[in-house]
Amino acid sequence: MEGPLIPVIVFFLVFVAVAFELVNKAVAGLCGVAILVVLRIVGQHEMIALIDFETVILLMGMMIIVSVLRSSGVFTMVSVKVAEFAGGSPLKILILFSGITAIMSAFLDNVTTVLIVVPILIELTKGMGLEPRIFVISQALVSNIAGTATLIGDPPNVIIGSKVGLTFNQFIAHMALPVAVIVIASVGFIWWANRKTFRPIHTDLVKLFSVQLLLEKIRFQFMDRRLDKAVIIKGLTCLAAALALFTTQTITKLSPGVVALSVAMFLLLISRVDLEKVLEDVEWSTLLFFCGLFILVGALEKSGVTEWIAGVFMKTGQNPYVIVLTVLWVSGMVSGFLDNIPFTITMIPVIQYIYQSNPIPNNILWWALAFGVCLGGNLTYIGASANIVAVGISRRHHYDITFIDFLKTSVAVTMISLSLASTYLVVFLWMSL
Amino acid sequence: MNGQDREILYGLFRDHLHVRGTSQTTRIALQSLITSLRQLRCPFQDIRGQFEALTHTIKNGEPRIAPLINLIVSCEKEFAERKIFEKSTGEQVAADAARIVEDHMQRLEETTRRLVQIGGDCIKKGDVIMIHSFSRPILQMFSDAKNRGTDFVILILRQAFVKTKQVIKYMESEHLTYTVIPEYNVSHFVDKATKLFLGAIAITADGKALCSMGSSGIASIAHIAGLPVYLFVTSLKFSSERSTEQHIHEKTEQLMEGGVAFTQISHSHEIIDLELITHLITEEGEMDCERVNSALAS
């Protein structure tokens, strides 16, 4: 069967099923693929060829490395140390936790970061009589922003990097500095908007005393098992080795996916951790969802749909500034309401078509897409997995964060983030032309 | 101090009591007091007021933690004798006050150490000891007895797992022989056990013990079955308040379990009569009724 109608309908149904969580996203994606294969819109061998295995193995490798490190307790230990170092100062708690969340999110996946940081942060702020919600929201937002900085920080970056061939160093060189500025500006805004919450406590003996009791409780609660020093050393060494190999990609000619999976296998070999437990931590449904999406988008591309979408974008004119800002803001707004992974996969062939007719230098359109999909995910709490997880943890601790509660902070932070990203991209484009 | 801060503080005390026991909670509270005095940066003339507000809050905790209160009262006396709040600078006040609190921590450690020594003598060869306490001194008694070569078996009455887990971890680390039995299965084991060991937060002025929840039921069953009940407390746990003044925390909560919504009322601790106790052991040895009364009077 030829023509774009069936691939578009299937893709739309999958998108709706995922957006409204009607079924598991992997099931939705693979059902869509099954329909396309049964209707012979995509051939069986063609289906396999459409999957970008580079993306899949990079994500799988990083998930394994993070799982081993997480089992060692090192991340929890770091978070508890940060809580101790903050010493009960609300402002220090915001700044230090944002710092640690930003660093962890840049190199680990955002959901893992939130899963580690948020429970400790809730316990700490709740015990101090502070309102935990704003701290939870701040860490979810920071994790999404900081994940934008590196190739491995957020799945959309992994997809863009793998499909387009952008290296780890290119991501760091073009994204790290603006992301750092956006993190600082966002944390600064959160402080300013809630400045009454962040009053110091060192003049109040009762609060200081409560904080000490609280820190002891947190130490006991979260450090209630022996740290596996051998696994920590091996895990951190392997993570450092993976980062070193990512940064020397142009010399070694090893793709990030090959590096991540090889290092992960080596880590499993030397750490001798329980493989079954590690495999439980790998997000198989996400990986299967990716495979399904690659095939669905491949079918759209084959039937000319992505070319048509690119044409819509091109109707904004040939002005590169307009195109870059359109990609950034459209990606940002759409990612605020829809899963940014399928959107990214859909947008990649669209951007490739735009490049064919308007070769904007220095990969700026790709950076615009990365900024848009990653930062835009912060617009609502359904825009990014880390937001959903953070809100879920907060709810389990009896601190409900409503859609509106989240919006009160997230809209402003997203506008600040996208505005700063726009400024950066415009300046970068002006210097490149 | 506002009501919310007070509730938070009392909640933290209860959390520590729940999983760490009274001695550890007292030690943690004194250490927290030292650290917070050193961190305090308030106008010099406010220090005394802040300290008094804090100690007043601690003394009226829910529940009242007798050893902590006794040590705080003793600290206050020493502060007054040494005119701590009349020093010239805030740093000097904090340093001198912290030193006095440290001395009191030493006193706590010393009395606990002596209780462990004396309590260890209560463990005999072939004993099957049932425990309903995770207090550190009782656990250390087992280690001491084992190190002296005494063979015995421990029956751990399982409570909330967060508490029982601490006991199991300790048993494992000290290679002690133990079996875990559910708290509600105690009647099946009273004839097999030779002793029941209990701990308490306080011995009240009217001759009762403030204990963790479940203790009174276990002690009653043991008493009826003729199983000797040992209660281990340091003299620091003798309270000047009656059992009705121990401020046991009552919690009312709305719960939803298995699709059924209901209101539940629960208490943090309970009172047991010393008549159920066969042997009351302190760091000064076994105490009979007369000695208990004289200790309470003093």
Side-chain angles (χ1 to χ4, degrees):
Chain A
M1 271 185 221
E2 296 295 324
L5 188 63
I6 293 173
V8 168
I9 291 172
V10 169
F11 188 79
F12 177 75
L13 290 175
V14 170
F15 226 115
V16 169
V18 172
F20 293 99
E21 295 179 14
L22 302 178
V23 287
N24 177 287
K25 58 186 177 182
V27 174
L30 294 178
C31 281
V33 172
I35 293 169
L36 295 184
V37 174
V38 168
L39 296 177
R40 302 193 193 290
I41 290 165
V42 177
Q44 291 174 36
H45 297 294
E46 190 187 5
M47 174 185 83
I48 300 297
L50 285 172
I51 298 171
D52 182 13
F53 284 105
E54 169 63 20
T55 303
V56 176
I57 62 171
L58 172 52
L59 282 168
M60 193 170 87
M62 290 310 293
M63 284 173 188
I64 291 172
I65 295 171
V66 170
S67 166
V68 173
L69 269 169
R70 200 170 134 186
S71 71
S72 72
V74 65
F75 299 135
T76 306
M77 180 192 73
V78 170
S79 299
V80 171
K81 293 286 171 201
V82 168
E84 286 174 9
F85 193 67
S89 159
L91 183 57
K92 270 191 193 172
I93 290 171
L94 177 71
I95 294 171
L96 291 174
F97 270 94
S98 297
I100 200 75
T101 299
I103 293 167
M104 281 165 72
S105 293
F107 297 102
L108 311 173
D109 98 273
N110 298 344
V111 171
T112 302
T113 305
V114 164
L115 278 171
I116 293 162
V117 170
V118 168
I120 295 173
L121 193 57
I122 291 178
E123 204 59 56
L124 182 64
T125 51
K126 180 183 75 175
M128 288 172 61
L130 297 170
E131 172 51 71
R133 289 179 184 87
I134 188 61
F135 289 90
V136 172
I137 293 170
S138 68
Q139 296 317 297
L141 298 177
V142 166
S143 79
N144 289 319
I145 297 169
T148 318
T150 66
L151 171 75
I152 54 170
D154 215 354
N157 285 7
V158 175
I159 298 163
I160 295 169
S162 304
K163 292 283 271 185
V164 182
L166 296 172
T167 64
F168 187 85
N169 288 355
Q170 281 176 301
F171 264 92
I172 290 274
H174 293 99
M175 308 288 272
L177 185 62
V179 164
V181 172
I182 293 169
V183 167
I184 292 167
S186 301
V187 172
F189 169 78
I190 291 167
W191 167 78
W192 177 80
N194 304 276
R195 51 197 179 282
K196 281 185 185 168
T197 307
F198 299 106
R199 277 196 292 245
I201 61 159
H202 60 263
T203 55
D204 188 331
L205 185 64
V206 173
K207 277 202 188 299
L208 286 170
F209 179 74
S210 294
V211 165
Q212 291 307 317
L213 283 183
L214 180 64
L215 288 173
E216 184 57 38
K217 182 185 163 190
I218 288 173
R219 267 191 289 270
F220 184 78
Q221 189 175 330
F222 291 95
M223 303 286 283
D224 189 27
R225 63 196 176 96
R226 208 163 279 173
L227 289 170
D228 192 334
K229 285 183 185 160
V231 174
I232 291 175
I233 292 167
K234 288 169 187 171
L236 289 178
T237 307
C238 283
L239 183 64
L243 293 177
L245 288 168
F246 287 150
T247 53
T248 53
Q249 189 187 336
T250 48
I251 302 164
T252 61
K253 307 292 179 204
L254 293 171
S255 73
V258 170
V259 168
L261 198 60
S262 308
V263 172
M265 291 305 119
F266 183 67
L267 179 58
L268 286 176
L269 190 70
I270 59 170
S271 65
R272 296 182 181 277
V273 292
D274 185 349
L275 179 64
E276 298 299 329
K277 280 187 184 163
V278 171
L279 292 181
E280 277 174 23
D281 284 346
V282 174
E283 292 171 42
W284 295 108
S285 66
T286 303
L287 297 179
L288 290 171
F289 178 52
F290 273 36
C291 294
L293 274 176
F294 282 128
I295 299 165
L296 292 173
V297 174
L300 286 182
E301 203 177 343
K302 191 177 140 191
S303 55
V305 176
T306 49
E307 197 175 354
W308 176 80
I309 298 171
V312 174
F313 270 89
M314 296 303 287
K315 280 183 185 162
T316 56
Q318 289 295 314
N319 185 328
Y321 291 99
V322 175
I323 296 174
V324 167
L325 292 179
T326 305
V327 168
L328 173 73
W329 283 87
V330 169
S331 308
M333 293 301 114
V334 173
S335 299
F337 297 95
L338 299 176
D339 194 328
N340 57 10
I341 293 167
F343 182 75
T344 307
I345 296 175
T346 314
M347 280 299 284
I348 285 174
V350 173
I351 303 280
Q352 281 167 340
Y353 279 118
I354 296 174
Y355 260 119
Q356 281 171 14
S357 61
N358 195 342
I360 295 168
N362 289 330
N363 297 310
I364 290 176
L365 271 183
W366 295 121
W367 307 132
L369 178 65
F371 273 124
V373 292
C374 295
L375 300 177
N378 270 341
L379 191 60
T380 66
Y381 83 58
I382 55 165
S385 307
N387 298 350
I388 297 169
V389 171
V391 169
I393 297 171
S394 189
R395 189 171 295 142
R396 277 203 300 280
H397 286 79
H398 310 294
Y399 291 97
D400 272 351
I401 297 173
T402 63
F403 197 80
I404 301 295
D405 287 339
F406 199 89
L407 281 185
K408 281 178 190 166
T409 306
S410 67
V411 171
V413 166
T414 308
M415 292 305 138
I416 291 169
S417 307
L418 289 174
S419 301
L420 287 171
S422 302
T423 310
Y424 165 73
L425 290 170
V426 166
V427 171
F428 188 23
L429 182 59
W430 175 70
M431 289 167 70
S432 306
L433 288 175
Chain B
M1 178 189 234
N2 64 37
Q4 190 199 14
D5 287 347
R6 197 165 41 238
E7 285 311 311
I8 287 170
L9 188 54
Y10 293 164
L12 284 167
F13 275 134
R14 281 194 297 278
D15 290 344
H16 280 296
L17 282 172
H18 189 62
V19 291
R20 310 288 287 268
T22 316
S23 305
Q24 288 274 79
T25 302
T26 304
R27 189 188 59 75
I28 291 165
L30 293 176
Q31 186 57 56
S32 299
L33 182 58
I34 293 168
T35 311
S36 51
L37 278 168
R38 286 183 177 142
Q39 288 176 345
L40 184 65
R41 296 286 175 272
C42 71
F44 179 65
Q45 63 275 16
D46 291 354
I47 297 178
R48 180 196 285 259
Q50 293 223 25
F51 183 78
E52 286 173 355
L54 176 61
T55 55
H56 176 77
T57 310
I58 291 173
K59 285 182 214 167
N60 287 290
E62 292 179 6
R64 286 189 153 131
I65 305 170
L68 178 61
I69 294 171
N70 287 334
L71 288 169
I72 291 281
V73 169
S74 174
C75 282
E76 283 178 321
K77 275 185 194 159
E78 206 166 329
F79 283 11
E81 282 165 15
R82 295 205 202 172
K83 299 188 167 83
I84 291 293
F85 293 113
E86 290 164 30
K87 303 281 176 183
S88 52
T89 64
E91 284 75 23
Q92 213 179 341
V93 171
D96 288 0
R99 208 167 301 123
I100 291 171
V101 180
E102 268 169 8
D103 290 345
H104 282 76
M105 273 182 77
Q106 287 297 319
R107 191 177 144 196
L108 173 71
E109 302 294 343
E110 179 56 26
T111 49
T112 307
R113 195 183 57 75
R114 289 211 308 269
L115 176 66
V116 170
Q117 273 178 349
I118 288 176
D121 293 339
C122 300
I123 302 168
K124 306 291 181 204
K125 190 179 175 198
D127 266 346
V128 178
I129 301 168
M130 198 180 268
I131 57 166
H132 188 263
S133 172
F134 55 96
S135 79
R136 208 23 89 134
I138 292 183
L139 297 181
Q140 283 170 350
M141 285 172 205
F142 292 133
S143 303
D144 278 12
K146 181 175 180 279
N147 292 339
R148 285 200 301 268
T150 313
D151 284 331
F152 57 97
V153 173
I154 302 157
L155 294 175
I156 303 169
L157 292 170
R158 182 184 165 154
Q159 306 170 62
F161 190 66
V162 66
K163 294 163 90 171
T164 307
K165 186 176 152 194
Q166 303 308 319
V167 184
I168 294 173
K169 280 172 73 176
Y170 186 87
M171 299 286 164
E172 290 290 335
S173 67
E174 296 290 309
H175 307 291
L176 293 160
T177 311
Y178 69 94
T179 305
V180 179
I181 56 171
E183 196 177 27
Y184 48 81
N185 267 20
V186 67
S187 62
H188 291 282
F189 291 89
V190 276
D191 55 337
K192 296 179 182 71
T194 56
K195 285 164 187 165
L196 168 66
F197 280 12
L198 293 177
I201 295 178
I203 302 297
T204 66
D206 51 348
K208 292 176 180 172
L210 176 67
C211 297
S212 60
M213 289 304 297
S215 301
S216 67
I218 306 292
S220 301
I221 292 170
H223 184 71
I224 292 164
L227 178 66
V229 182
Y230 287 72
L231 179 64
F232 296 95
V233 287
T234 60
S235 57
L236 287 169
K237 292 188 175 179
F238 285 79
S239 166
S240 59
E241 308 288 345
R242 297 174 65 80
S243 56
T244 49
E245 301 298 322
Q246 293 301 321
H247 294 183
I248 293 173
H249 181 72
E250 183 184 297
K251 183 163 82 173
T252 304
E253 53 191 335
Q254 304 296 325
L255 296 177
M256 167 74 94
E257 277 177 33
V260 179
F262 56 96
T263 305
Q264 178 179 284
I265 301 173
S266 57
H267 292 86
S268 62
H269 295 83
E270 65 184 4
I271 299 287
I272 66 173
D273 204 302
L274 285 185
E275 281 181 12
L276 297 176
I277 306 300
T278 325
H279 303 280
L280 176 64
I281 313 290
T282 73
E283 77 274 15
E284 288 159 16
E286 183 165 352
M287 281 194 161
D288 55 22
C289 277
E290 270 181 37
R291 281 184 70 193
V292 171
N293 288 334
S294 101
L296 287 167
S298 69

